[in-house]
């Protein structure tokens, strides 16, 4: 590969996703390094004062300040955009920084947002608590009900916001149908795609305007760093998101960007193997528990839709133990291989109790409304041998009398 091949759209447009995940966005220095260079610098120097003025005026290409640009972060942004099929991407310090920026950059007092009820706890806090503080009205609906989106839209609705599959209930939203409703009304769709990643699902192919990520999850995928990303059209990124991003500073560090670049190299391999493992574990647990919510199972009510939108069902699902919090905690405490942890997308198998961790900030009534009961657990199946994970669940289930 030549020094700038990875940033040449005439070349990268011919590369397939597996190649883009390793080489997309790469720009080598004059030293010809094989791995992406790590630029640990807060600022940049100029040969002449006129050059500085020209860069700040947008008349000259080049870096100005690492809150705005960094060569390592820029490589990550280009790679994610290529994988997503987006014109542009901006990276952020965390997934929640991405979700917050994707919403606030385009909303003002008097606007209205329609959001799916089933979502990550902090995303629900944005919708239920933060946006109303700024005079932005919100309505939450059953995201799987296409008609509910149209019914909830108002003349001042600016954004449809949803996650699919949803955290932790695994509800699936019909992306194409909801985006069609939005486009007909001039509404921007913002899709949280963290549970799938662009390796399994590319919402823009179904009409989404903006796709936001916690890159902490599948993209890093090894529990090392926090990161986020927002993808969209070049015009939206530069003229809607960038002014907010520039002046509020949810900036990703160069080191974390470099780590995520390394994670992307194995994303496709990891997530497909984890999806295979998750299906095996889900099939086992389905024989032992009252309910398992996994889009890869034919028992999932939206299995057919999920398989139309996704290349595989991913590594994450929820399950219901029965017996309330005591029994759910009992199962967690009896596990010997699977870790108790609230992260997802990791190469290790992790499980948590959403009602007391990721969604503890939601009112009990709101949790129950979307199916987050005291006996629900959320499982991320990792890269271990699935038979070992199954054996661990087998002994843990026996410990609690299942």
């Amino acid at each position: 590969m030549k020094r700038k091949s990875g940033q040449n759209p005439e070349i990268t447009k011919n590369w397939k996703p597996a190649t883009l995940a390793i080489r997309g966005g790469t720009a080598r220095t004059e030293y010809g390094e094989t791995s992406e260079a790590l630029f640990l610098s807060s600022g940049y120097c100029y040969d002449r004062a006129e050059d500085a003025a020209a860069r700040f005026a947008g008349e000259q290409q080049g870096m100005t300040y690492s809150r705005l640009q960094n060569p390592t972060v820029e490589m990550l942004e280009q790679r994610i955009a290529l994988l997503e099929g987006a014109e542009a991407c901006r990276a952020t310090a965390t997934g929640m920084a991405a979700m917050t920026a994707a919403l606030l950059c385009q909303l003002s007092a008097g606007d209205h947002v329609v959001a799916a009820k089933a979502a990550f706890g902090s995303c629900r806090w944005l919708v239920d608590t933060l946006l109303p503080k700024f005079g932005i009205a919100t309505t939450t609906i059953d995201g799987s009900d296409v008609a509910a989106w149209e019914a909830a839209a108002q003349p001042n609705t600016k954004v449809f916001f949803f996650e699919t599959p949803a955290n932790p209930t695994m509800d699936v939203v019909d992306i194409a149908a909801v985006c069609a409703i939005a486009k007909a009304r001039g509404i921007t769709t913002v899709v949280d795609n963290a549970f799938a990643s662009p390796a399994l699902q590319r919402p823009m192919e179904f009409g989404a305007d903006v796709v936001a990520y916690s890159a902490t999850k599948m993209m890093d995928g090894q529990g090392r760093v926090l990161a986020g990303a927002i993808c969209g059209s070049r015009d939206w990124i530069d003229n809607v998101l960038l002014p907010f991003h520039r002046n509020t500073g949810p900036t990703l560090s160069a080191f974390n960007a470099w780590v995520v670049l390394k994670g992307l190299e194995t994303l496709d391999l990891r997530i497909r193997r984890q999806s295979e493992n998750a299906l095996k574990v889900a099939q086992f647990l389905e024989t032992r528990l009252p309910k398992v919510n996994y889009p890869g199972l034919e028992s999932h009510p939206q299995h057919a839709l999920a398989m139309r939108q996704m290349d595989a069902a991913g590594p994450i699902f929820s399950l219901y133990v029965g017996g309330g919090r005591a029994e759910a905690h009992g199962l967690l405490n009896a596990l010997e291989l699977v870790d108790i942890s609230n992260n997802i997308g990791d190469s290790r198998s992790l499980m948590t109790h959403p009602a007391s961790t990721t969604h503890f900030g939601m009112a009990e009534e709101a949790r129950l409304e979307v199916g987050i009961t005291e006996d629900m657990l959320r499982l991320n199946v990792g890269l271990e041998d699935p038979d070992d994970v199954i054996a661990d669940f087998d002994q843990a289930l026996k410990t609690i009398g299942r």
Side-chain angles (χ1 to χ4, degrees):
M1 189 177 90
K2 306 304 181 187
R3 280 179 56 195
K4 300 289 185 178
S5 295
Q7 295 191 336
N8 185 338
E10 291 303 311
I11 295 173
T12 59
K13 70 180 182 182
N14 298 314
W15 290 352
K16 293 181 171 57
T19 304
L20 292 172
I22 295 172
R23 297 184 177 273
T26 301
R28 291 177 174 143
T29 71
E30 65 273 16
Y31 294 107
E33 64 280 351
T34 54
S35 180
E36 298 82 5
L38 178 56
F39 290 87
L40 297 177
S41 179
S42 60
Y44 308 91
C45 300
Y46 317 92
D47 290 336
R48 303 179 311 133
E50 290 81 1
D51 291 332
R55 288 194 196 177
F56 273 82
E59 298 166 355
Q60 182 186 96
Q61 289 276 332
M63 304 285 162
T64 58
Y65 190 55
S66 278
R67 175 160 50 83
L68 309 178
Q69 312 114 332
N70 175 279
T72 308
V73 176
E74 188 176 79
M75 284 190 276
L76 175 64
E77 291 170 340
Q78 290 199 22
R79 185 170 298 178
I80 292 174
L82 287 167
L83 288 170
E84 189 66 42
E87 291 179 357
C89 171
R90 290 292 293 186
T92 60
T94 68
M96 283 313 303
M99 304 303 158
T100 305
L103 294 175
L104 287 182
C105 74
Q106 59 181 318
L107 293 169
S108 302
D111 291 342
H112 176 245
V113 173
V114 181
K117 291 179 182 177
F120 178 50
S122 293
C123 289
R124 278 297 301 265
W125 183 87
L126 291 179
V127 172
D128 297 341
T129 304
L130 182 66
L131 296 183
K133 285 184 176 180
F134 293 96
I136 301 164
T138 63
T139 301
T140 54
I141 61 167
D142 176 358
S144 64
D145 181 355
V146 173
W149 291 95
E150 190 150 24
Q154 301 173 13
N156 61 334
T157 302
K158 295 298 178 64
V159 171
F160 281 176
F161 179 44
F162 62 89
E163 174 183 21
T164 183
N167 182 0
T169 59
M170 307 308 294
D171 290 4
V172 177
V173 176
D174 188 330
I175 304 172
V178 173
C179 290
I181 293 169
K183 287 189 186 303
R185 293 173 171 267
I187 296 168
T188 300
T189 50
V190 177
V191 181
D192 176 353
N193 199 39
F195 263 39
S197 88
L200 297 185
Q201 180 172 262
R202 291 159 296 283
M204 288 185 175
E205 293 180 358
F206 300 93
D209 297 304
V210 178
V211 182
Y213 286 102
S214 171
T216 308
K217 309 301 188 290
M218 315 297 181
M219 292 186 186
D220 170 34
Q222 291 155 83
R224 299 170 296 189
V225 298
L226 302 180
I230 307 165
C231 298
S233 69
R234 171 62 64 185
D235 178 69
W236 190 89
I237 293 290
D238 288 350
N239 297 311
V240 180
L241 176 65
L242 186 55
F244 181 93
H245 192 281
R246 174 190 294 119
N247 293 297
T248 60
T251 309
L252 179 63
S253 75
F255 178 77
N256 286 8
W258 183 85
V259 173
V260 178
L261 278 164
K262 298 294 98 185
L264 286 174
E265 293 180 3
T266 59
L267 172 62
D268 187 74
L269 296 173
R270 286 185 286 105
I271 199 165
R272 292 183 187 277
R273 175 58 66 87
Q274 286 179 253
S275 295
E276 294 173 4
N277 291 354
L279 179 59
K280 291 179 181 178
V281 175
Q283 288 170 334
F284 166 77
L285 290 173
E286 194 173 34
T287 67
R288 299 282 288 274
L289 294 173
K291 185 178 180 181
V292 174
N293 283 339
Y294 183 52
L297 292 173
E298 292 185 6
S299 58
H300 191 283
Q302 297 161 298
H303 170 73
L305 172 61
M307 294 302 94
R308 286 201 305 271
Q309 296 181 166
M310 303 176 71
D311 296 337
I316 306 155
F317 59 88
S318 56
L319 50 98
Y320 294 81
V321 180
R325 179 179 293 201
E327 197 149 342
H329 279 192
L331 178 60
L332 284 169
N333 293 338
L335 292 166
E336 296 173 347
L337 173 66
V338 178
D339 288 308
I340 302 172
S341 176
N342 50 280
N343 197 19
I344 56 167
D346 200 287
S347 58
R348 302 160 187 81
S349 290
L350 312 172
M351 193 156 74
T352 194
H353 180 247
S356 60
T357 59
T358 58
H359 291 71
F360 83 98
M362 285 177 65
E364 182 180 10
E365 181 180 352
R367 288 200 304 267
L368 294 175
E369 185 180 24
V370 296
I372 303 173
T373 57
E374 289 291 342
D375 69 329
M376 173 194 268
L377 294 168
R378 188 193 67 197
L379 174 63
N380 172 89
V381 180
L383 288 170
E384 305 94 345
D385 190 301
D387 289 340
D388 288 335
V389 177
I390 288 170
D392 193 30
F393 273 106
D394 182 51
Q395 66 81 24
L397 288 165
K398 289 174 180 175
T399 299
I400 64 170
R402 292 299 179 101

